[in-house]
């Protein structure tokens, strides 16, 4: 149904539908999504129907993050402002401000995660330790990545959001510390230009070797971070898949239980019907026997009545004959 201005009626707007879907627990998401997509198709809004149908069911961690965003709007706004400040501090590489904001980040992520766990528990979906860690990872990503912040601000997180590798706990360590320039070494008065040149070359070789070691260590650390991130991504995928399978298993178990209850009720009704049929059969047999007995008695009575009628007729004839002879 559309309004006079041609726009969808309230409740049919695709953005409002998506907001509604991502506010639902994961167990209710698919059924409501299909219902809303079918409604859009019925109302000839094929593009909206495709977009609604394409919406992915959030993991439990994604739902908890969305729940936190919607249920704590003031805290969420301050959290997003902190993320912007932290990204700005990292971009300018201000060590003092970055260190202070990083400590604030750790405190507020921990506090926000506890709020998400409490909200999920109140909604009847307590979070496991693994899911809570995924919520914390998502909140760190919201602080570090503007795209992740936009997804969370819209309340449509689907899975675990991952912070970029160059931003996070390593940021403080990566920030350049201010160092005083080294004091010039004392040079004996009798030092020659050749000695100074030799010392300079040795210092340059030493610096070059140190630079190569730092580059090698940085490369190893980068590879290790990439491997860790890949392993964490695979782990999150497996967790998300396991959560989906567990949800499907629970749903199938519920359907099996309901079907079993219906089967038990039908079997009980069938037993009662069978007992009633046996009683009806027994009553039918007795009624048939009574009918046969009544039929025999009726036939006997009819024969007796016919014989009596014949005897009465003969007697009347004899009486009439007697009267005629007299």
């Amino acid at each position: 149904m559309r309004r006079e201005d041609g726009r969808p009626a309230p409740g049919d707007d695709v953005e409002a539908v998506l907001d509604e879907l991502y506010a639902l627990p994961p167990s209710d998401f698919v059924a409501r999504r299909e219902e809303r997509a079918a409604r859009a198709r019925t109302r000839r809004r094929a593009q909206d129907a495709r977009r609604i149908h394409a919406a992915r069911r959030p993991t439990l961690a994604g739902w908890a993050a969305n729940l936190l965003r919607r249920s704590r709007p003031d805290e969420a706004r301050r959290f997003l402002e902190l993320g912007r400040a932290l990204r700005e501090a990292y971009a300018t590489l201000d060590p003092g401000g970055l260190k202070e904001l990083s400590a604030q980040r750790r405190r507020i992520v921990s506090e926000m995660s506890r709020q998400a766990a409490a909200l999920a528990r109140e909604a009847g979906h307590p979070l496991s330790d693994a899911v809570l860690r995924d919520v914390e990872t998502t909140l760190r990503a919201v602080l570090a990545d503007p795209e992740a912040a936009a997804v969370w601000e819209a309340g449509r997180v689907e899975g675990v959001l991952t912070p970029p590798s160059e931003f996070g706990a390593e940021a403080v360590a990566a920030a350049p510390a201010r160092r005083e320039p080294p004091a010039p070494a004392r040079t004996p008065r009798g030092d020659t230009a050749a000695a100074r040149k030799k010392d300079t070359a040795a210092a340059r070789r030493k610096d070059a070797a140190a630079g190569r070691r730092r580059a090698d260590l940085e490369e190893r650390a980068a590879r290790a971070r990439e491997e860790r991130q890949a392993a964490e991504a695979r782990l999150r995928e497996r967790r998300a898949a396991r959560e989906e399978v567990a949800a499907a298993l629970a749903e199938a178990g519920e359907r099996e239980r309901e079907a079993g209850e219906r089967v038990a009720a039908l079997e009980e009704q069938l037993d009662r019907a069978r007992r009633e049929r046996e009683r009806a059969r027994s009553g039918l047999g007795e009624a048939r026997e009574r009918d046969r007995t009544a039929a025999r008695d009726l036939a006997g009575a009819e024969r007796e009545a016919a014989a009596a009628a014949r005897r009465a007729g003969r007697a009347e004839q004899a009486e009439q004959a007697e009267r005629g002879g007299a």
Side-chain angles (χ1 to χ4, degrees):
M1 181 180 298
R2 291 181 176 268
R3 299 185 299 192
E4 293 181 357
D5 58 5
R7 289 182 296 171
D12 286 344
D13 178 71
V14 66
E15 297 297 332
V17 170
L18 291 174
D19 287 340
E20 174 194 5
L21 290 176
Y22 282 99
L24 294 172
S27 58
D28 299 337
F29 184 91
V30 174
R32 185 65 63 84
R33 180 191 66 190
E34 298 308 307
E35 174 187 336
R36 292 301 191 185
R39 180 175 178 176
R41 284 192 294 270
T42 301
R43 300 187 176 184
R44 301 182 184 277
R45 292 187 291 111
Q47 185 175 357
D48 290 351
R50 285 192 295 271
R51 186 177 174 192
I52 293 169
H53 185 72
R56 292 180 54 194
R57 186 182 74 169
T59 62
L60 192 58
W63 167 76
N66 294 332
L67 179 65
L68 176 65
R69 169 68 183 93
R70 289 184 170 86
S71 302
R72 297 289 188 270
D74 294 337
E75 290 88 337
R77 185 180 63 256
R78 289 193 293 269
F79 190 73
L80 291 167
E81 291 173 356
L82 172 64
R84 285 189 286 270
L86 187 59
R87 291 192 296 273
E88 182 179 352
Y90 178 65
T92 58
L93 292 177
D94 177 5
L98 183 60
K99 185 175 182 179
E100 180 181 352
L101 286 173
S102 295
Q104 186 178 359
R105 171 184 65 84
R106 289 190 294 271
R107 289 194 301 271
I108 196 169
V109 164
S110 177
E111 174 60 27
M112 295 284 279
S113 299
R114 285 194 293 271
Q115 290 187 28
L119 291 168
R121 187 168 52 252
E122 292 172 2
H125 298 276
L127 306 182
S128 65
D129 292 341
V131 174
L132 187 57
R133 285 194 295 271
D134 287 344
V135 173
E136 292 175 351
T137 300
T138 294
L139 293 176
R140 287 197 296 271
V142 170
L143 293 177
D145 185 2
E147 293 183 2
V151 173
W152 185 67
E153 186 174 12
R156 297 179 188 175
V157 178
E158 295 176 351
V160 183
L161 302 179
T162 307
S165 59
E166 70 274 8
F167 193 105
E170 298 84 358
V172 176
R178 295 181 179 177
R179 295 179 295 179
E180 296 295 332
R186 290 185 178 181
T187 305
R189 290 184 178 181
D191 193 21
T192 64
R196 289 196 298 271
K197 184 176 181 181
K198 181 179 180 180
D199 291 342
T200 301
R204 288 177 178 173
R205 287 194 298 272
K206 184 177 180 180
D207 290 343
R212 287 193 297 272
R213 286 195 298 272
R214 285 195 299 270
D216 182 61
L217 291 174
E218 289 174 357
E219 183 178 357
R220 292 181 183 179
R223 285 199 302 270
R225 285 194 296 270
E226 290 175 357
E227 292 173 356
R228 182 193 65 190
Q229 290 163 7
E232 290 175 349
R234 288 192 297 271
L235 177 60
R236 286 191 295 271
E237 290 176 0
R238 299 299 184 272
R239 283 175 178 166
R242 176 61 187 279
E243 288 180 4
E244 291 183 359
V245 171
L249 177 61
E251 185 177 353
E254 182 64 18
R255 290 198 302 269
E256 190 276 336
R257 184 188 63 78
E258 293 176 353
E261 292 177 352
R262 291 195 297 271
V263 168
L266 292 173
E267 287 178 345
E268 184 178 355
Q269 293 178 7
L270 180 60
D271 288 341
R272 286 199 301 269
R274 283 173 175 168
R275 290 193 296 270
E276 291 174 359
R277 185 183 64 178
E278 291 300 323
R279 289 194 295 269
R281 282 179 175 176
S282 177
L284 178 61
E286 294 175 357
R288 285 174 175 171
E289 183 61 30
R290 290 195 299 272
D291 179 68
R292 286 193 293 270
T293 301
R296 287 195 299 269
D297 293 343
L298 175 60
E302 288 176 346
R303 288 193 298 272
E304 291 179 359
R310 288 194 296 272
R311 289 194 297 272
R314 287 195 296 271
E316 288 178 358
Q317 291 176 359
E319 182 181 3
Q320 291 175 359
E322 182 68 26
R323 290 178 179 172

